[in-house]
Amino acid sequence: MVQQYGAVQGHADRDAAHDTTDDSRTSGEADALLGANATARRPKREGRATLTSSTSNLANTIIGSGMLTFPLAMASAGIIPGIITCVFSGGMAAFGLYLLSLCAVKAPHRRASFFAVAELTFPKAAVFFDAAIAIKCFGVSISYLIIIKSLLPNVVQALYHDLSPQTTPPAWMLSGQNWITLIMIPLVPLTFLRKLDSLRHTSYIALFSVAYLVVIVVVCYFFPVEGMEQPGEINLIKFTPSFVSNFPVQVFAYTCAQNLFPIFNEIKANTQPRMNIVIGTSIGSAALIYEVIAVFGYLTFGSKVGPNIIAMYPSTSLFIAIGQLAIAIMVMFSYPLQVHPCRNCLDKVFNAGQTSKPTADDEESEDEHHTSHDMSPLKHALLTLAIVASGFTIAYFVDDLKLVLSFVGSTGSTTISFILPGLFYWKLSRDDTSVSKTLSRASLGLAIYGMCIFVFCLSYNIYGVLHPGAEISH
């Protein structure tokens, strides 16, 4: 049987923890008989996040700038293969999240993390897993700042062109470096929030921006705006050499496993059915959005479609300019969702070898905001400042991180989305007679699938570095 750290004995005990009414009733009786100080043990801390906020945060983690490349991915294979690979990639990602939610039950109460689960499965490698996740999240957060840096000057030009054609924007407004400096003013306070649920309102705004992009893609297909070029060749099935390089884009577009454990810790009544709703709704909505953008974007431009669908539309109308601004807002509010897991993982890395199992005294001393196992305010502030300052500095001076991010994505995203979920659950369940052997074998299959994607994408990236002139073209 799987060893469990006294915090959770399956879903039954976790459900029992919610029954606090009876505890409070009996505590009064105990006080009357045994004295004022003989109160019943305080109930364990429970989450307060709702299904809606948890789903929106996970969906916002999933849906990022990768959705802009889905029409190009569809053009590399045709409509039918493009639809199938998009659904397949989403299904594999959902299975990985489902396995992580099953593993989270084995971790200490409301303290599930990659580190905590690794301590139960591969304790010697736990610190390396967290280091890989931290590097991955840090790299993605930098890419978001660079996207903002490159996009906002174009938005300013488009808005001036549409609203005031006779004037030109000031020079400082066309500097991407100035814009990311200004953007950091509202972003920095958001990065200091301890709980993922605190970011729910920014996630709502970001998802509204995604919806606006979907409207643009659909409307411009039926009612093309002035200046759009005629579409190229459109095929139901036609594989091209560039399919090899575009398939990983669909695989990585569903990466969100880094925030699954915080959501599990914060959501009210984190039973498996409720977690399944969060996972299914988040992945399902992302897949639907990806499919709509891919199909209508490909039908609009055909084989002429580029790697950034929003850049394909001419900024000759306020409708398109606002869409470009919406993408910048979406990316901006996705930034704190990468800083949050990066900070938590770095904390585990720096505390390697100092972690301990929670005791009954620890559980009694915790309150709704802070536990003895959380970061101290000083460490929380220092880690956050280090992540934000270093990421901002890199984004300020660097314009293209494509090469670095391609390696981070092929290694980090594959590891946390497929390899670790599969290996974790397989290790936890292989000797448990109450667990379905089919599910255990399927988890091992997911890990093998992740390893294949890891090797393929890493090899492809290395080949691209060694043979820059032999880049596969569309």
Side-chain angles (χ1 to χ4, degrees):
M1 296 294 290
V2 177
Q3 179 186 5
Q4 302 187 21
Y5 281 159
V8 179
Q9 289 286 339
H11 291 287
D13 285 357
R14 200 168 64 251
D15 291 340
H18 298 292
D19 189 10
T20 60
T21 304
D22 291 339
D23 288 344
S24 61
R25 185 184 302 118
T26 56
S27 65
E29 298 171 356
D31 288 348
L33 294 174
L34 302 177
N37 294 328
T39 56
R41 175 190 286 193
R42 294 175 58 185
K44 297 176 181 178
R45 181 183 59 172
E46 299 300 336
R48 293 188 174 184
T50 64
L51 274 176
T52 301
S53 65
S54 299
T55 302
S56 63
N57 279 330
L58 192 60
N60 190 26
T61 307
I62 299 171
I63 304 172
S65 57
M67 67 178 177
L68 303 176
T69 64
F70 265 77
L72 179 62
M74 180 164 286
S76 67
I79 294 177
I80 295 178
I83 291 175
I84 294 174
T85 54
C86 180
V87 173
F88 173 77
S89 298
M92 298 300 286
F95 184 50
L97 295 177
Y98 173 70
L99 294 179
L100 286 181
S101 67
L102 294 177
C103 294
V105 178
K106 312 297 183 182
H109 183 76
R110 299 284 180 178
R111 293 188 179 92
S113 66
F114 276 97
F115 187 88
V117 177
E119 286 273 275
L120 298 172
T121 52
F122 305 97
K124 293 183 179 180
V127 64
F128 299 106
F129 294 157
D130 268 287
I133 296 169
I135 293 172
K136 184 266 177 191
C137 294
F138 181 67
V140 173
S141 69
I142 295 174
S143 73
Y144 286 167
L145 294 180
I146 291 178
I147 290 173
I148 295 172
K149 175 183 173 181
S150 62
L151 189 58
L152 282 180
N154 296 333
V155 171
V156 170
Q157 285 185 318
L159 290 175
Y160 264 82
H161 175 271
D162 297 326
L163 298 177
S164 183
Q166 304 304 321
T167 60
T168 57
W172 72 267
M173 296 187 70
L174 298 179
S175 169
Q177 294 175 329
N178 290 341
W179 276 114
I180 61 171
T181 303
L182 292 174
I183 286 298
M184 295 310 292
I185 296 175
L187 275 188
V188 169
L190 294 177
T191 62
F192 275 85
L193 295 175
R194 283 183 176 269
K195 291 183 176 295
L196 205 63
D197 185 56
S198 302
L199 298 171
R200 61 189 182 278
H201 300 298
T202 57
S203 290
Y204 297 151
I205 297 173
L207 293 177
F208 175 79
S209 302
V210 174
Y212 192 89
L213 174 63
V214 173
V215 171
I216 289 179
V217 175
V218 174
V219 169
C220 289
Y221 169 70
F222 292 104
F223 307 100
V225 297
E226 180 184 354
M228 284 178 55
E229 60 179 324
Q230 294 298 314
E233 183 182 1
I234 298 174
N235 299 284
L236 288 177
I237 302 176
K238 185 180 180 180
F239 288 96
T240 66
S242 60
F243 175 75
V244 175
S245 60
N246 286 321
F247 174 68
V249 172
Q250 298 188 12
V251 174
F252 302 147
Y254 290 95
T255 302
C256 63
Q258 65 270 20
N259 281 333
L260 192 278
F261 287 130
I263 287 174
F264 178 87
N265 295 336
E266 297 177 15
I267 190 174
K268 296 177 184 176
N270 52 2
T271 60
Q272 193 60 52
R274 287 170 64 83
M275 289 302 300
N276 290 345
I277 292 174
V278 172
I279 294 170
T281 304
S282 302
I283 293 289
S285 59
L288 179 62
I289 290 171
Y290 291 162
E291 294 284 24
V292 171
I293 293 176
V295 171
F296 283 94
Y298 177 54
L299 291 177
T300 301
F301 298 102
S303 58
K304 297 180 181 178
V305 70
N308 185 345
I309 187 62
I310 193 64
M312 296 294 295
Y313 301 99
S315 300
T316 55
S317 70
L318 189 62
F319 177 58
I320 301 298
I322 293 177
Q324 295 175 334
L325 178 61
I327 296 301
I329 292 173
M330 177 203 71
V331 173
M332 180 179 72
F333 286 143
S334 297
Y335 177 78
L337 292 173
Q338 299 295 331
V339 175
H340 186 279
C342 182
R343 178 178 59 229
N344 291 343
C345 289
L346 284 179
D347 177 50
K348 300 296 189 303
V349 171
F350 293 143
N351 281 340
Q354 301 177 21
T355 58
S356 61
K357 302 176 185 178
T359 65
D361 291 338
D362 292 332
E363 292 173 356
E364 287 183 347
S365 66
E366 62 184 35
D367 58 42
E368 63 187 33
H369 298 296
H370 188 275
T371 75
S372 59
H373 290 268
D374 287 342
M375 282 178 276
S376 67
L378 178 60
K379 178 182 284 189
H380 177 90
L382 290 177
L383 283 178
T384 304
L385 285 175
I387 295 169
V388 173
S390 56
F392 170 78
T393 303
I394 295 173
Y396 189 89
F397 292 105
V398 177
D399 293 323
D400 186 11
L401 275 181
K402 181 179 179 181
L403 178 62
V404 175
L405 290 178
S406 63
F407 280 93
V408 170
S410 61
T411 55
S413 296
T414 308
T415 300
I416 68 174
S417 297
F418 307 120
I419 298 177
L420 290 186
L423 289 179
F424 283 165
Y425 187 77
W426 173 76
K427 185 68 178 292
L428 287 170
S429 64
R430 64 176 181 173
D431 297 324
D432 192 342
T433 56
S434 64
V435 173
S436 168
K437 294 302 179 184
T438 300
L439 183 60
S440 183
R441 295 190 188 99
S443 65
L444 184 59
L446 180 69
I448 295 173
Y449 166 79
M451 293 175 187
C452 293
I453 295 294
F454 183 106
V455 172
F456 167 76
C457 294
L458 188 59
S459 301
Y460 184 85
N461 290 334
I462 294 174
Y463 179 83
V465 172
L466 299 178
H467 303 85
E471 187 174 330
I472 295 178
S473 60
H474 175 60

